[in-house]
Amino acid sequence: MDGLLLVDKPSDWTSMDVCAHLRGVLHERHIGHTGTLDPNATGLLVVLTGKGTKAAKYLENDTKEYVARLRLGLRTDTQDIWGTHLTESTVSVSREDLEAVLPRFRGPILQMPPMYSAIKRHGQKLYEIARRGGEVEREPRPITIHRLELLAPDESGDWVLSVTCSKGTYIRTLCADIGDTLGCGGCMSALRRVRCGDFTIDEAHTLEEIRSAPEAYILPLDHVRPEVNASE
C-alpha cells in the first residue's frame, strides 16, 4: 500500500511503536514517519507507507504546531514532568510576568538540545548517555518559533501555550527555558501536536479506527504534492 496515513498518536507509544504496529496491520514492510513525537505526547503523526516513504523529503521540514502545558516551579532532568524531579518551589508568576518574557522566544533563536534526545554523539544517542548518568557538551542549534501564544491556564493551574515552530524544536526545552528566564524553573506537563504542514489533527484517525479498515484511511501521495507519485 503506497500513500500516507494521518495518525492520532496515543500517549505511551513511541513514534516507532506506531510504525511497527502499522507494519503488521497493513502487511507492509516500508513504513516511516515524518517527525518524532515523544512517548508521552499525543497528536498528529504523519506516516508514509510503501513507496510513499520516498515522499519524506517533501514533509520532514514542514512547520509544526503544538498545544503544550507549562508547569512553573519544577525542574526535571528530562525537562518534562515524567523525569526525575531536581528542584521544586512555590511560584507567584502572573500572566503579565509570563507574557513579558515570551517575546524573547519568538522568531529565529538558538536552542540547546536536551540530553534526553535521540541526537547522536559519536554514534550514541544522547538519551543513552543520559540514562547512564553522563552528559556531553552540545552546541545550540538554530530554530524558529513562528508563533508563541499564551492561552488560559488549565484546571491544574499549568499554563497552556500554543506554539508554531520549525523542525528540530524541542517544546520541553522551550518550557524549561521559559521557566529559567522567569527564575523559577519550569517543565512541560503535556504536549499535543495539532498540525504538520498542511495536515491537521482534525484529519487524523486513531489506531483503533485504522485497524478496523486500514485501506480506507490511506491517502494518495498527491496529498503531499500533486507531482509526487509512487513511481518517483
Side-chain angles (χ1 to χ4, degrees):
M1 296 183 188
D2 305 325
L4 62 90
L5 279 164
L6 303 179
V7 180
D8 188 346
K9 188 190 87 65
S11 62
D12 299 323
W13 286 59
T14 68
S15 300
M16 292 310 296
D17 285 341
V18 172
C19 290
H21 182 73
L22 291 174
R23 286 189 190 100
V25 171
L26 301 173
H27 306 291
E28 170 59 59
R29 204 174 87 187
H30 299 291
I31 290 184
H33 62 78
T34 66
T36 300
L37 275 173
D38 286 345
N40 290 301
T42 66
L44 181 59
L45 187 70
V46 179
V47 175
L48 299 169
T49 69
K51 293 180 181 178
T53 54
K54 296 179 182 180
K57 61 186 176 183
Y58 298 106
L59 296 170
E60 59 190 5
N61 293 318
D62 276 349
T63 296
K64 311 290 195 302
E65 183 178 344
Y66 299 88
V67 175
R69 281 169 171 73
L70 165 65
R71 182 165 301 175
L72 295 174
L74 175 63
R75 290 185 175 95
T76 75
D77 59 347
T78 58
Q79 302 179 330
D80 57 37
I81 60 170
W82 300 282
T84 299
H85 292 196
L86 302 176
T87 64
E88 195 164 0
S89 60
T90 303
V91 178
S92 57
V93 172
S94 68
R95 185 183 185 94
E96 290 72 23
D97 295 333
L98 189 46
E99 292 273 19
V101 303
L102 293 187
R104 305 186 196 185
F105 299 96
R106 296 185 181 119
I109 62 172
L110 291 175
Q111 185 182 70
M112 183 68 71
M115 277 301 300
Y116 281 88
S117 66
I119 295 171
K120 287 188 176 180
R121 183 75 181 270
H122 303 307
Q124 293 186 80
K125 293 178 179 178
L126 292 184
Y127 69 75
E128 294 172 339
I129 299 171
R131 286 172 181 170
R132 297 196 300 269
E135 185 167 353
V136 296
E137 193 172 320
R138 290 101 67 205
E139 292 293 329
R141 304 194 305 176
I143 62 164
T144 301
I145 306 292
H146 300 285
R147 189 175 63 84
L148 174 59
E149 302 297 336
L150 181 62
L151 307 180
D154 67 12
E155 63 278 359
S156 71
D158 291 349
W159 294 99
V160 182
L161 302 173
S162 177
V163 186
T164 304
C165 58
S166 64
K167 172 188 176 182
T169 302
Y170 287 90
I171 304 298
R172 51 197 163 93
T173 299
L174 174 65
C175 290
D177 289 346
I178 290 171
D180 286 342
T181 300
L182 288 165
C184 59
C187 66
M188 186 182 76
S189 60
L191 182 67
R192 183 162 177 80
R193 186 154 66 196
V194 297
R195 184 172 64 83
C196 295
D198 294 330
F199 301 116
T200 70
I201 190 63
D202 294 336
E203 303 170 271
H205 304 281
T206 65
L207 290 174
E208 291 76 10
E209 289 174 322
I210 295 168
R211 279 196 296 266
S212 68
E215 294 186 22
Y217 297 109
I218 295 180
L219 300 175
L221 291 178
D222 59 10
H223 281 70
V224 179
R225 277 175 41 174
E227 66 269 28
V228 179
N229 57 64
S231 62
E232 188 177 54

